[in-house]
Every structure is written in C-alpha cells, then in structure tokens.
Amino acid sequence: MNRLEAYKEVVPPGTIEFLMLLAEKVRGKRILEINSTQVGGGVAEMLQSLVPLFREIGLECAWEVITGTEEFFNVTKSFHNALQGREQNISPQMLQTYLEINRENAGRLSLDADYVIIHDPQPAALIENRKSGGKWIWRCHIDISSPQLKAWNFLRQFVVKYDTAIFSLPGFARKLPIPQFLIYPSIDPLSDKNRELSSEEQSRILGKLNIPLDKPILLQVSRFDRFKDPLGVIQAYRLAKKHHDVRLILAGGSATDDPEGEVVLSEVRTAAQNDPDIIILMLPPDAHLEINALQRAATIVLQKSLKEGFGLTVTEAMWKGKPVIGGFAGGITVQLVYGVTGFSVYSVEGAALRIHSLLDNPALRTKMGEDAREYVRRNFLITRNLGNYLALMAYLG
Ligand code: UDP
C-alpha cells in the first residue's frame, strides 16, 4: 500500500481524493523548504513527514538546513526570545553575525525553486539572495504577537520582501504589506511518533526506559526551555501530590539550534530534588517511538507552556486519546476546547486543580480523550496541512 492509501484509513473520508485534485494545479513544481535544524522541535518534525508527502503527490521537494556557528545559534535564540516578547540585549555585533551566516548559507545553497519556503527567523535573511522567478513564502512558527520591537523591526525588513507570510494563529499576524495566511501545524498519524503501538511494543519500550507503571503518570514532553515552564510543572505536580500518589515524567531533549537547554535542564534537576517520583528523561532526537510509548502510558499529559507557537506535543497527546492540561498560550488554546478536549490553565494552581479533578474522574478522562482524538482527526493531521499548502501555491501561481 502506498502512503497516500495508508492515510485513507485514518483521515476523514474524501481527504485524499480532494488532495489529488488540488495537486493537479501545481503538479511538477519544485519546492524548497529551508529551516535551521534537521532534528528537534516541531518544525523539523513536520518537515520530516511533509517533504516525502509532497513528493508522493507529484511535486519535487527538497529540504535544506542552514548551518551556523555556536555564536549564530546564540544570536538566533536571543532573537527567538525577543520576538516572543522577552527583553533581550541585541547588539549591532549580533545583527552582523546573523547577516553574515545567512549570507554564507545563501552562497552554499541553491535557492532556485518554484516555491521557496523559509521557516522561522533564523534563515529569514536568505531572501536577500533571492533569484528571480520563484515565489518566496515565510512560514513563522512562533508567537510574534508582542515582540521586542528592536528585534521585530530588524526581522521585518526581510519579511516584507517575501511574497507571502504564514502564521500558526490569527493573533500572531502582524501589520505587513504582503498577504498573510493562517495554517495550523499538524502531526503525521503514520509516523513513529504517532502510529499505533501494540501493547508488547509499548511494554518493551517503556521497560527499556525503566518506567514503572505502578501509579498514574503525569507527563510533559518538551525541550528544556523556560517558555515550556518545566519548573511550573514540578510545582503543579507537588500540589497534586498532596492528594494523589502520582509520578511525574519530564521527557525532553535538546535541538541543535537551542543552546539554552543545558542550563534549564540543570534548573529542573535542582527543582526535582531527587524526588524518586520525578523522572527526568533526556532523550536523543530520534526517540520517536519512546515518546509515542510515553504519551500512551500517561494518565494526563501536561504542556504548561507560558509562550507557545502551536504546541505539537498537545496534538500528539490528544491523538493518543489523552486528556491534556496546557498553558493558556499560543496554539494550545485552539486545540484545547475548554472542558471538552482538554483544559487550558493560567497558573500552577490551575494546573494542579485540573490534575486533581481529572485524576478523580476516570470517565471524564476517557470521554475527553476520545473527543480530543476526533478533534485532531478533523483539524490537525498532516493531510489538512498539505491541502493548505497546495491551495496557497495554486493561489500564488
Ligand atoms: N520532541 C521530541 N523530543 C523531545 C522533545 C520534543 O521529539 O525531547 C518533539 C515533540 O514530540 C514534538 C516536537 O518535538 O513533536 C515539539 O514541538 P512543539 O510544537 O510542541 O514545540 P517546539 O519544540 O517546536 O517549541
């Protein structure tokens, strides 16, 4: 069975037929996707599935990753923080480094395609080396609704040169002289991260990770990043623990474009204070089956982000039929329909309260999980995302 046929078994009826019709409009065109990391984080995760699917449906699709020095990734991490509203000191030297590395990458990469899709701020300045012909699309995955203005004004000079920009939520759009589109991110239901696992497979994987299954599991899967609020998760767990004997698993790794991870991880270790019921797992970037098994083993999944682009870990957990408690941030709010597909919370106490009430109510957990899965089927699977891209490309011509 080819992959498109396999999707038919999980996506809403008629989806694949509709995609084939849309693909007719752009068949044979060349797409070039460019981002800043091959593994780690939601963007890489999505590209790993989208790129082969574009090919399967009849387009040429290449994926390139920009390379840079440690200094460059420190600079882009500061940009990332500043664009998501955290005060950062951005010096002229940092802007210089950003421009130089983008220039170097432009020299190394062939930027020739019918549609060049640039993801996030790190490679945004590649547009300075645009060749004639192709359409350039800037796909922003982060929350830039209230950025530090210095960082945004710097980035904006590049963004306005694109043919169009895509954001993950309506609230993330900015005042720009180019058309802006909304495309929700998505997960791949057939990937190792999300496919069904047999109970033997699941037990084997959890056994290898040494995860005891003797009490309910609260799980957060996230890069160790302050915006993901792992310390808040530990505090919420501690409050809930007063009433329920639960275990907390914080599973994460680091992305190659995220130099802050080590520092946050050591803060988390300190906060956990050798509590035997807190398991901190550092996973390699290809631990997809492990994350899949952990999400399936969880009783409740947490994603207590303070700022979030979209929050694919929420989608992943919902797809596995789990009730999710998420921070009231970014795309988490469009996924968690309050009280139906999950709960979004504003505080540690709010998270603890919802953990407490969900642990007390197994029927609600089951119903919420079922509704969450159907919500993802209709709105957040890769086939819907592919359709959005095809329609946008057909529009751009
Ligand atoms: N992820 C992973 N390993 C980790 C942490 C996260 O594979 O240690 C995956 C996670 O399953 C999800 C993605 O990385 O698919 C994170 O996407 P999300 O949108 O939640 O957050 P981002 O990291 O992009 O801010």
Side-chain angles (χ1 to χ4, degrees):
M1 185 164 40
N2 74 29
R3 220 164 158 79
L4 284 175
E5 286 298 314
Y7 281 109
K8 275 191 185 167
E9 316 225 323
V10 271
V11 301
T15 304
I16 301 301
E17 293 74 3
F18 179 64
L19 286 178
M20 300 305 282
L21 284 175
L22 266 179
E24 281 303 317
K25 305 269 178 214
V26 284
R27 184 137 296 149
K29 299 269 192 183
R30 291 167 307 141
I31 303 173
L32 172 60
E33 307 265 6
I34 302 182
N35 78 323
S36 61
T37 177
Q38 193 98 46
V39 287
V43 178
E45 186 89 13
M46 266 189 297
L47 288 175
Q48 274 156 23
S49 293
L50 258 180
V51 169
L53 205 51
F54 269 128
R55 291 176 186 150
E56 185 130 354
I57 208 148
L59 285 91
E60 275 183 41
C61 187
W63 175 12
E64 297 284 0
V65 175
I66 56 162
T67 52
T69 54
E70 198 181 329
E71 187 192 352
F72 172 74
F73 287 115
N74 283 327
V75 169
T76 57
K77 183 70 191 185
S78 294
F79 275 9
H80 176 92
N81 289 339
L83 289 163
Q84 294 212 117
R86 187 180 299 160
E87 211 44 48
Q88 299 280 307
N89 183 19
I90 296 187
S91 65
Q93 172 59 37
M94 290 164 81
L95 303 182
Q96 209 46 45
T97 303
Y98 174 80
L99 291 174
E100 265 165 32
I101 298 287
N102 265 273
R103 243 190 323 266
E104 270 173 40
N105 276 284
R108 185 178 62 81
L109 300 169
S110 157
L111 299 174
D112 179 32
D114 296 309
Y115 304 103
V116 179
I117 307 178
I118 303 288
H119 296 266
D120 281 333
Q122 297 93 328
L126 290 177
I127 185 105
E128 294 291 301
N129 296 71
R130 174 182 194 155
K131 309 241 162 47
S132 58
K135 305 282 183 191
W136 281 58
I137 300 167
W138 187 58
R139 173 69 169 106
C140 177
H141 296 269
I142 61 174
D143 174 356
I144 54 165
S145 55
S146 47
Q148 187 179 321
L149 279 179
K150 186 174 177 193
W152 169 241
N153 287 337
F154 175 73
L155 181 67
R156 190 179 187 279
Q157 63 180 315
F158 308 114
V159 173
V160 295
K161 295 184 176 160
Y162 282 77
D163 293 291
T164 187
I166 304 174
F167 294 91
S168 296
L169 283 186
F172 293 175
R174 305 289 308 172
K175 235 190 175 126
L176 289 170
I178 56 170
Q180 299 177 63
F181 290 85
L182 163 69
I183 301 185
Y184 289 135
S186 60
I187 58 162
D188 181 356
L190 302 185
S191 67
D192 279 344
K193 178 70 60 66
N194 298 303
R195 71 171 170 80
E196 296 301 317
L197 294 180
S198 68
S199 49
E200 298 80 53
E201 223 175 343
Q202 190 175 334
S203 316
R204 184 177 47 77
I205 298 167
L206 294 174
K208 264 200 191 155
L209 292 173
N210 286 324
I211 305 294
L213 299 172
D214 53 343
K215 37 183 109 166
I217 292 176
L218 309 177
L219 170 74
Q220 174 156 305
V221 175
S222 270
R223 290 179 293 107
F224 289 98
D225 178 316
R226 291 206 178 87
F227 284 130
K228 310 284 184 185
D229 199 20
L231 298 179
V233 171
I234 293 179
Q235 287 169 349
Y237 149 83
R238 290 228 160 92
L239 290 176
K241 184 92 174 168
K242 291 183 183 162
H243 307 279
H244 298 271
D245 187 18
V246 282
R247 179 163 277 126
L248 172 65
I249 303 179
L250 290 165
S254 62
T256 52
D257 61 350
D258 180 4
E260 234 173 44
E262 284 301 316
V263 181
V264 178
L265 176 61
S266 77
E267 289 169 8
V268 168
R269 290 217 162 101
T270 307
Q273 287 174 339
N274 299 324
D275 179 337
D277 279 340
I278 301 182
I279 300 180
I280 299 168
L281 286 176
M282 268 310 268
L283 298 172
D286 59 351
H288 303 302
L289 283 170
E290 285 78 359
I291 290 175
N292 188 341
L294 286 167
Q295 287 167 333
R296 287 176 195 282
T299 315
I300 297 169
V301 171
L302 302 167
Q303 189 54 60
K304 220 204 125 320
S305 307
L306 304 170
K307 281 273 179 184
E308 189 57 78
F310 188 71
L312 281 174
T313 50
V314 172
T315 334
E316 289 162 6
M318 290 168 73
W319 181 242
K320 285 149 197 142
K322 299 298 164 180
V324 179
I325 300 170
F328 197 87
I332 294 179
T333 56
V334 298
Q335 301 185 63
L336 301 182
V337 178
Y338 196 83
V340 181
T341 65
F343 289 109
S344 37
V345 295
Y346 289 96
S347 63
V348 165
E349 292 75 16
L353 179 72
R354 290 298 161 198
I355 294 170
H356 178 51
S357 61
L358 277 168
L359 285 173
D360 270 347
N361 194 340
L364 176 61
R365 292 206 301 271
T366 307
K367 175 77 174 87
M368 195 169 258
E370 283 166 7
D371 289 345
R373 181 170 164 94
E374 284 317 302
Y375 201 58
V376 171
R377 192 194 307 282
R378 268 155 228 295
N379 296 292
F380 305 122
L381 294 185
I382 188 173
T383 39
R384 192 271 307 140
N385 200 344
L386 181 69
N388 293 151
Y389 271 118
L390 293 173
L392 176 60
M393 288 169 189
Y395 159 84
L396 289 172

